[in-house]
Amino acid sequence: MRRTVVNNIVSLDGFYADQSGNPTVLNMDETFDAYNLERLRSAGTVLLGRTSFEGFGAYWPAIADADEDPNNRALSSDNREISRLYNRVAKMVVSDSLEVPADHPWVATTTVIRREDAGEWLEQEKQHGSGDILIFGSRVMWNGLLAQGLVDELHLTVSPAALTEGQPLFLEPANLTLLDVRPFPGSSNALLRYRPASV
């Protein structure tokens, strides 16, 4: 059976982004990029909410073939590979209103599913194919799936920042079992890997 894996960054005090919804206030360093690449290499499907899809779809497609700039970490070899993987991996977007434009670079690899159908789709998808069903960002969507018992693991990169206010990662209480703690050499980030206690 395939795993559904949530991969997010979070502040020390549990926030996903600042009050304006900006997650880049957290420490998205080279180790963050490398772990995202590790997860994408293991993915057979990327599952996203509409906001994350639109943000990622506006940013990632062109990175692979952008002009060389050794002073721009966004164009590192890791990020270029992330771009190439995103461009070809199957993407499922949960939205009741999104229509992917015909000229969108990901139109051929993207399917849109209604919110009310997402849980049933995920239950069925976990029985077929290979690779993780990977969720980046998409906090509102995956919190709903977590409440339905459809998330198998949460991989949380903890950033060394306390925001004191902002958008919380969790939208309702959750009981988790710690599977692993992984420091990143040269970084103040650390990875906490959890399984929902009910799984």
Side-chain angles (χ1 to χ4, degrees), residues 109-164:
T109 57
T110 301
T111 303
V112 180
I113 188 169
R114 294 181 304 173
R115 283 179 289 182
E116 68 178 10
D117 297 330
E120 181 179 355
W121 171 84
L122 185 54
E123 286 183 320
Q124 294 176 357
E125 188 70 11
K126 289 171 72 169
Q127 308 296 324
H128 306 286
S130 61
D132 290 339
I133 300 167
L134 180 62
I135 302 172
F136 284 117
S138 311
R139 172 187 62 127
V140 173
M141 183 266 291
W142 69 250
N143 267 275
L145 297 175
L146 180 65
Q148 295 177 60
L150 294 174
V151 170
D152 297 298
E153 292 189 13
L154 293 95
H155 296 200
L156 305 181
T157 296
V158 180
S159 172
L163 302 183
T164 73

Side-chain angles (χ1 to χ4, degrees), residues 2 7 11 24 27 37 40 49 53 83 86 92-93 113-114 119 135 160 185 187 197:
R2 301 171 71 188
N7 188 60
S11 70
T24 64
N27 187 35
L37 175 56
L40 265 171
F53 172 79
S83 174
Y86 263 134
M92 180 66 70
V93 183
I113 188 169
R114 294 181 304 173
I135 302 172
S187 174

Side-chain angles (χ1 to χ4, degrees), residues 81-101:
E81 185 175 350
I82 287 171
S83 174
R84 289 191 293 271
L85 290 171
Y86 263 134
N87 287 344
R88 65 176 182 252
V89 72
K91 289 164 284 289
M92 180 66 70
V93 183
V94 178
S95 173
D96 291 334
S97 57
L98 177 67
E99 293 186 12
V100 183

